[in-house]
Amino acid sequence: MDAGASDDAAVQGTSNDAAVSRESAASLGYISDPYIRHFVKHPQRRAPLINRGTHSRFEGVQRILRQFISKANSDSERNNGQVVVLGAGVDTSYLLLRQQEFDVGMYFEIDFAEVTAKKAATIFRRTANLRSMLPEDTQIAAGGTEIHSSTYNLLAGDLREFESHVVPKLFARGLDCNKPTLFLSECVLIYLDSLQSDQILDWITRNISNAGILTYEQILPDDRFGRMMIENLRNRGLELRGLHAYPTLQSTSQRFLTRGWHRAAAIDLATYHEHFVQKSELARLAKIEFLDEWEEFILLAQHYAFTFAYTSDTYPFNSMDLKKI
Ligand SMILES: C[S@@+](CC[C@H](N)C(=O)[O-])C[C@H]1O[C@@H](n2cnc3c(N)ncnc32)[C@H](O)[C@@H]1O
């Protein structure tokens, strides 16, 4: 195997890490996700500070996703919004939205074929009973690496070849450039060279008039904790290639503004935990597990950022929330 291929295998493996953390938080009651357990072969209980971080990460993403879908679909047209999840791994958000009877509209998930094949196999595994959560016309496609339906599509593709390889698949499955669209990237673009991820962002601004994006990625590579974080990942064959180009909260939001996006804002996970998670929810979490590593938690959480940006002032999103940021 050449170096590039072995790096890719390590990056694909991060979908399992994310799933194990989510399963840990779900099984302890931090978050409500009855589906993630089907995607995790070897569950592990994570440390309390990791579970706490997973809770805030999950809540932040679900909040934006639900706001977008509710607003996009409360306009005159139903099923108006589209969601595109970049590097979706075994993210279960689509299943959760269906469980909660959201009118989801078009929903696309993209990842390497190695990852989508496993996800598709799990969804179709009879014992998991997940197939019934998907639209009636759902079919397994592309040799088992994709799932196609009129509204939900799991697509295999390499984001480093977004325009030539991924975009044609999105169009073939019904992406509509005229619909309000939310892109999600949870710990994904950071694995790409910044030139490659910038190309994705530029394609979005050139082609989708009413687009928004939520990214959740690492920041602050240059302090002691940041250097340790990079070293730990490097020891596992993982390189955060995009980190140095946009290393701070300010630069991650500036990135969008200088590329022609209408508004952008970024907060770190520590701020989200302190100001966005409700006090009653924090009290509930405190009863699940005692967290005595507060300093470590804050330090860790300061190295992860949510960045939200959109291209048009008609974007279906509650801008009050952005003002709080
Ligand atoms: C840390 S995991 C996160 C998965 C999911 N977003 C979540 O939060 O649960 C990163 C995901 O990005 C995917 N990914 C990274 N680089 C990619 C690329 N060039 N093309 C397609 N997928 C990629 C990996 O395969 C992996 O599933």
Side-chain angles (χ1 to χ4, degrees):
M1 202 189 280
D2 64 24
S6 65
D7 285 356
D8 284 0
V11 170
Q12 289 153 15
T14 62
S15 74
N16 187 52
D17 298 337
V20 169
S21 294
R22 190 141 152 175
E23 195 283 330
S24 168
S27 67
L28 290 165
Y30 279 85
I31 62 172
S32 175
D33 183 344
Y35 306 112
I36 190 66
R37 68 187 173 86
H38 296 295
F39 298 94
V40 175
K41 264 200 193 135
H42 304 291
Q44 284 170 45
R45 185 174 178 147
R46 297 288 203 217
L49 86 168
I50 303 292
N51 291 325
R52 194 54 88 99
T54 302
H55 171 276
S56 285
R57 165 182 175 170
F58 176 83
E59 199 199 92
V61 173
Q62 300 303 312
R63 173 194 289 250
I64 297 278
L65 192 53
R66 280 163 171 65
Q67 277 195 8
F68 170 76
I69 289 175
S70 307
K71 283 214 103 203
N73 292 331
S74 67
D75 294 346
S76 48
E77 271 184 274
R78 312 253 316 145
N79 293 330
N80 198 25
Q82 301 177 123
V83 177
V84 180
V85 187
L86 306 170
V90 295
D91 181 14
T92 49
S93 298
Y94 180 78
L95 299 170
L96 294 170
L97 289 163
R98 295 279 295 197
Q99 177 204 29
Q100 289 154 28
E101 295 182 3
F102 271 83
D103 228 342
V104 186
M106 292 296 275
Y107 200 99
F108 304 90
E109 296 186 318
I110 302 153
D111 211 301
F112 285 116
E114 288 80 353
V115 176
T116 55
K118 286 188 192 148
K119 186 170 194 173
T122 304
I123 287 175
F124 275 78
R125 199 169 64 217
R126 203 165 320 148
T127 48
N129 202 19
L130 299 175
R131 163 70 187 81
S132 61
M133 305 289 298
L134 302 187
E136 262 182 29
D137 62 350
T138 296
Q139 288 183 345
I140 197 115
T145 62
E146 300 196 349
I147 292 179
H148 293 177
S149 82
S150 47
T151 51
Y152 170 78
N153 287 280
L154 171 69
L155 302 175
D158 185 338
L159 295 169
R160 292 168 297 192
E161 295 164 21
F162 189 71
E163 188 156 2
S164 59
H165 186 199
V166 175
V167 168
K169 289 193 175 195
L170 287 169
F171 281 145
R173 296 308 313 156
L175 184 82
D176 181 343
C177 290
N178 297 314
K179 285 188 171 176
T181 306
L182 174 66
F183 290 81
L184 288 179
S185 161
E186 247 186 285
C187 294
V188 178
L189 293 183
I190 201 87
Y191 289 111
L192 273 56
D193 283 334
S194 57
L195 279 177
Q196 291 165 332
S197 51
D198 282 343
Q199 281 171 2
I200 299 178
L201 303 183
D202 291 346
W203 184 88
I204 295 172
T205 40
R206 277 200 317 276
N207 292 282
I208 308 220
S209 50
N210 205 356
I213 188 166
L214 175 68
T215 68
Y216 171 83
E217 318 269 12
Q218 291 90 339
I219 52 168
L220 305 182
D222 296 318
D223 62 14
R224 210 163 141 228
F225 185 95
R227 287 196 299 273
M228 192 182 72
M229 173 173 81
I230 291 172
E231 198 49 39
N232 288 345
L233 289 170
R234 196 167 279 156
N235 288 338
R236 297 171 46 204
L238 291 165
E239 209 57 58
L240 298 178
R241 295 180 198 284
L243 181 52
H244 282 280
Y246 304 108
T248 58
L249 283 178
Q250 207 201 354
S251 57
T252 65
S253 54
Q254 208 47 38
R255 167 185 205 181
F256 290 95
L257 298 174
T258 55
R259 313 191 84 76
W261 293 59
H262 179 66
R263 276 207 67 183
I267 52 166
D268 64 37
L269 196 69
T271 309
Y272 182 88
H273 180 269
E274 190 179 344
H275 295 292
F276 281 74
V277 181
Q278 292 200 340
K279 297 284 170 279
S280 56
E281 180 68 348
L282 292 178
R284 188 185 72 81
L285 300 182
K287 286 189 200 137
I288 296 176
E289 265 183 326
F290 183 62
L291 178 64
D292 67 350
E293 311 126 315
W294 270 109
E295 279 176 24
E296 288 93 327
F297 172 70
I298 301 292
L299 199 55
L300 173 82
Q302 283 168 341
H303 286 77
Y304 286 85
F306 286 119
T307 308
F308 183 72
Y310 51 82
T311 55
S312 149
D313 59 3
T314 62
Y315 193 67
F317 177 73
N318 182 359
S319 58
M320 287 310 292
D321 248 24
L322 208 54
K323 284 195 190 110
K324 270 208 259 167
I325 296 174

